[in-house]
Every structure is written in C-alpha cells, then in structure tokens.
Amino acid sequence: MTSNESTVASRDFRCIAERFLDELPTYERLATEAERTLLAGARANGVPCEVKSRAKDITSFLGKVIRKQLSNPFAQVRDRAGVRAIVMYRDFIDPMRDVVRDSFVVLSEEDRTVKIGPAELGYLGVHFDAKLKPVSGGGNTDLEDLVFEIQIHTRGQSAWAEVSHDLLYKTEGAEPPKALERQVNRAQALTEIFDEEVSRARAGLLEHEGHLEARLMSFLEPHYLRLTDVPHSPVLSGEVLRVLRATLSPDDVSRFPRLIAEWVEERKTKLSELYGLYREDSRRNPLLFQPETLLIFNRIEANPFSLRDAWAERLPNDLLEDLAVIWGTPLDF
Amino acid sequence: MDLGTFIVEKLIVHEVPRRTGGDGEKPTLSDRCSPLDVEIRNFFQEKIRGTLGGGEGFDIVPDDASDSPVPEHVAKILGGATESDFVQRSREIAGHLFASQTGVNSPGLLTLIRGKVDGHPCVVVLKLEKEQGIRAHLEGKKGQQTFAIEHLKELFLTGKTKVFKAAMFVADDGAPAGRASDDQRGFHPRTEIARFFLARFLGCRLRDDPRVLTKRIFDASEAFFNEEVTEPEVRNRYAMALMVEMNSAHSTFRPNQFASTHLRHNDRNRYREFVERHGLPTTTIAKDTDLIRTRLTQMQVDFSSGIKLFGPREQMEKKVSVKSTSEGDEVRIKDDIERIHGR
C-alpha cells in the first residue's frame, strides 16, 4: 500500500459524507439559482437554449474522492453544483459565452474542444468555473462564495458527454486498447461533423430565397425570447409566416432585421405588459405566444389591409381579429 | 390613447332596472368591488378595446352646458379617490343613470372600472344590457345520453357582443376627456334614444365638430385622389364613390371602411396613411355635410388647358367617362347639346 493509498484508505469517509450531506441542500439551491440566472441571461440576450442543473450526489462525490485520491475534496471538487446550457447550433456558443461572462463571476474558462486530445475521452464544449454575482439587497448571500461549474454544449456535444461519461468510468485506471482509441476518435469527429453540418444547413436555409420564413423567424425569435419565457410552437410559426411574407414589400424584407428591432424597441413596454397579462389566461389566443405575432402586430399597424387580405386566404379570420383587438386596433372595416 | 395598453384594476357593478313608474323600483347597488381573476380582467379589457377602438368609437369631452354629475365624479376618481370613495361615486352614478332614464331605456348593469391606459389612470363607464342564450350540457340517465338545454337570461357582454355603451375617461389638463361608443346609431343623432347615453347620462359631447371633421376628411380624400392617383378614370371613380358615401344616410364616414370598399388594393393603405398624416381619424367620423353640401351636388373636372367641365353629380356619373390615352386624358360626354354661348 502506498502512502497516498493509505491516506485515502484511512480517511474517515463518514465525516466527509456527513459534511457533504449537510451541505447538499445549499448546493442544490446554488444549482437552481445558477440555472435561473443563466436562463434569464440567455433570454435577455435572445439566445435560445435549454438549461439543466444538478447538484452532485454523494455517490459521485465520494467516487471522485477515491478515484482521484483527493486530499482536500471540499476545495478540490469544484463541480458540486453544475449547470449545462445546450444550444441547438454551434453559432450560439459564442453568444452564450458572453451571457456567462455577463451573468456570473468567472474564475476560469476553458474550451475543451480545443484542449482535449483526438482520442481522449472527456467532455467537449466550453467549461467555466464560476460564482454567483453579489446581489444588492441581500438574497442568497450564503451562495455567493461557492464555486460551481457551467458547461456550454451543442446538442452533439451534450450527447457525447452522456456517452463518454459512461465510457470514462469503464476504462479508467487501465490503458485503453488501440481499437478503442480509434473508435473514440471517430466518435468525436462525428460529433464535430454533426455540429458543423447542422450549422451549415441552417446557414444555407437562412440564405436560401425560398426559405424566407426561416430567415424571418431567425430575426423574430430573439426579440420574443427577450420579452417572455413562454415556449412557442415552431409548427404554428411556419403556417403563419407563410401568410405574413406576402404582406412584406421587397424593401421591408431587405431591411427586416432593423425594421423589427426598432419596432420592438419602441413597443417593448407594451409587449412585455401584454405577455404578462395573458401568461396565466387559459382562454388566450393560441397565436399570442408565438414569435411571429410580433410581426402580426407590426403589420396591423403598418398595413392592415394587406394583412387581412393575405390572412383570409389561409387562416381563420377570428384569430387575427382577436389579436387586433388585443393590440387595441380592431380590424372592423 | 393607445387602447392596447388599457388594463382593469378595479371593477364594480350595479343593476339599474327599467323605469316603469312603479313604487319601490330602484337600482340594486353593490357595496364593494367585484372579485376579478386573470380571465375576467382580460375579457373586459378586450371587450372595451374592441368597442372603443373600432368604428363605433368617438372622441368626447364634457359638455359644460350639461348638469350630469358624471364628469365631476369621474374627475374625482381620476384625481386619486380611495376605494371606498370609488365605490360611493359609482353608486351615485348608478342612481343618476336610473333617474335620467325613461321607460324606453333598457335596463342593464352600470359597470364602473378604474384602470390605466398609456400608464395613466382612467375611468371606464359601461352600460351593459341583458342578453339571452342557450347552454347545452351532456348528461346521462339510465344509460342514455342527451343534451340538457338551459335557457340563460342573465347574460351580459357575451363573446359575440362587439359594440356596446362604453366611455373611457383620462385626465386632460385637469378635466376628463376620452372616448365613447354606443350600439345605437352613432353620436350625431337626431333621436332621443340615440342622444341618451352620451348627452343625458354622461353629460358629454363629441370633441370635434362633425361638420368641420366631415369637411376636412372630404378635402383630404379629394387631395389624395388628385395628388396620389395618376389614372384619371380611377380618380373619377374614387371621387364619385366619395360623393355617394357623403350623400348616403349613414351617420358616420369611416375612412378605413371606405378604402376597403372602394379603393384598389395598392391605394388602400396609402389612403389610410394620407388621412393619418392630415391628423384625421381613420376609424370613424360623425358625418355632417353641412359645410360641403353644395360640393356634393356638383362635380367639376379641371383640365390643364384651362377647360373646366362641371355639372350635377348624378349626371356627371351617368354621362361623362374619363380614360387615359397616349395623347392625354380623354373625356367623353354622351349628351345632347342644348346651347353654346360666350361666358
């Protein structure tokens, strides 16, 4: 038995376990608060993502203490609380990094995709060690000194994280065979190819003339996310945007990003209050909490005639009439 | 006033019966505000936005010549009344409604709302009349299903009600001003029934003189046809349509409705924007053609050469046609020449 092994073996794991369990509720709160903060920051910046959090459980913690022979586990284990933001496309990684830097006190930042070796098991994505920012007026002051981990992953990287986590434990402590190295290498490459091709497909779709609806949605969605956290249905969006595109002139289309940004900015108070009023209303118009409704309201103001004509060809009139009433400009002509 | 920002904060309801002259008849008054949940609030907000924002909504101000107590009560509420004061004033307004009605006025619910619009305090006065409806619910007895039918007689303000008697007041330099709607023949009425809600009960009048507004919209419309429409035959058609609308029995002129009915697709929105730029409402204008009466009977076409063609509107419509040619606009008159003489 080596001195390290004897040190680990002789540690009173009961004390470590007891302290861990005592502190677990605090780290659960930390994980929840970090998740809430990260999600709010993403929405405020119009970055669509899914956010999950967890507090490390006792088995995982003690397992790490033993595997890595940690002498000071409570200082050395910095992911007792962890938050993962999963973005759909690689293009959203950098905006999400900005969100993390703005929302938290960042202690370290590492792009694991660059750092990890070609045949090495482990997580990809961007990883941070961070703390909560102090909040004026009190609140969770007991959490402000605690370190937690933030991961930003694409969908592909998130799927790889799940698999490599399992493989890591199965191979740790032994030299992996060459065949496994090649397989891991190919799996990592596939993850990168998946992310890259998905991003390219998205970029191609947005640039393609025949997919104006996708382009319009890419500009509408960030504004919607900033205004409300109510989820929307992409299926409905496609149908409505096909109608709305007919109400836009070529000039409107070419300057659409600026047109909608300026319009939303001027009306953001009204829009925020509207979303607040209807959030818990079970009888609300099914289109109200959809990004394309920002464009509907814009068209009601800009050209109600062409909107009504285009709408009547494909969609029920009462849906539009209700929205016009909600906006305060009934279409009763 | 952006009605899309209107929110309900407090609401109180009183029942005002029909006046039949019987002993003991009087309003049934509430002692406190009604409880509201999210859905009820949103329902009222939508209904009020719909009726005041649509084609039956008019801008109003208090009429100094009226002895109705409503403007004063409204002014006090806008000035920051307590809840108990709000309740008390609403009861007095209900009493005034009952006292000012006659047997021809329908019974209903007098509803007073304290709220906000554009972030500022507002007061809304509604007179809601009863409606009837049928409800059906499935029930099964002895293994057989059927729909039990129930006749509902106590309905007020259903989903299908688009226009009703409503008035919204905001503070405007200390005095209340606002907007009102009425489901009974507009606000430039000639009958007592139609005058009741605005004049007798609310003690208000239209903010803008209908004669002046009508002249302004007529002038603006003609300006649009001549400045923004290049084809002479289309201009002619539009001018005729405007005159027909102005001569009609409708008590209102609705620019958006006019555009939708008479103008080509690509002229409609440009007309609406033109009317807006001239500071005129696009939803509805109380019509009074007093100041443009002679212009509605005669039409004139001016040519760049100095030639002028004029005549009675109906005859111009029947006998004169206009079209564009490569050599200029061509006007054809199909009529018998009666006399040619110096002028």
Side-chain angles (χ1 to χ4, degrees), chain A residues 270 273-274 277-283 300-305 308-309 321-322 325-330 332-333, chain B residues 2-5 7 38-39 42-43 45-46 49-50 53-56 162 254 256-257 259-260 265 268-269 272-273:
Chain A
K270 181 179 176 181
E273 285 177 0
L274 197 69
L277 286 175
Y278 282 90
R279 203 175 190 291
E280 307 301 327
D281 189 339
S282 62
R283 45 169 278 283
I300 284 172
E301 290 184 5
N303 196 335
F305 301 100
R308 200 187 47 177
D309 289 345
E321 285 165 9
D322 286 349
V325 165
I326 287 170
W327 195 241
T329 48
D332 61 346
F333 50 84
Chain B
D2 182 353
L3 289 167
T5 66
I7 54 170
V38 160
E39 294 185 6
N42 284 341
F43 184 78
Q45 280 155 192
E46 288 165 21
R49 287 176 192 160
E56 298 296 341
K162 296 284 186 206
R254 300 189 188 190
N256 280 344
Q257 182 82 58
S260 186
H265 283 275
R268 291 172 190 171
N269 205 47
R272 182 186 67 88
E273 288 171 342

Side-chain angles (χ1 to χ4, degrees), chain B residues 134-151:
Chain B
I134 293 287
R135 183 169 68 182
H137 57 271
L138 189 63
E139 60 179 33
K141 281 184 181 168
K142 296 181 181 171
Q144 290 191 324
Q145 285 186 140
T146 188
F147 276 95
I149 308 288
E150 193 183 342
H151 180 208

Side-chain angles (χ1 to χ4, degrees), chain A residues 28 38 66-67 83 93 110 138 163 167 183 207 222 227 284:
Chain A
E28 285 170 340
L38 187 58
I66 295 169
R67 278 197 329 274
V83 187
I93 293 275
E110 185 179 48
V163 170
L167 292 176
Q183 284 158 347
E207 283 163 21
L227 291 164
R284 66 190 187 215

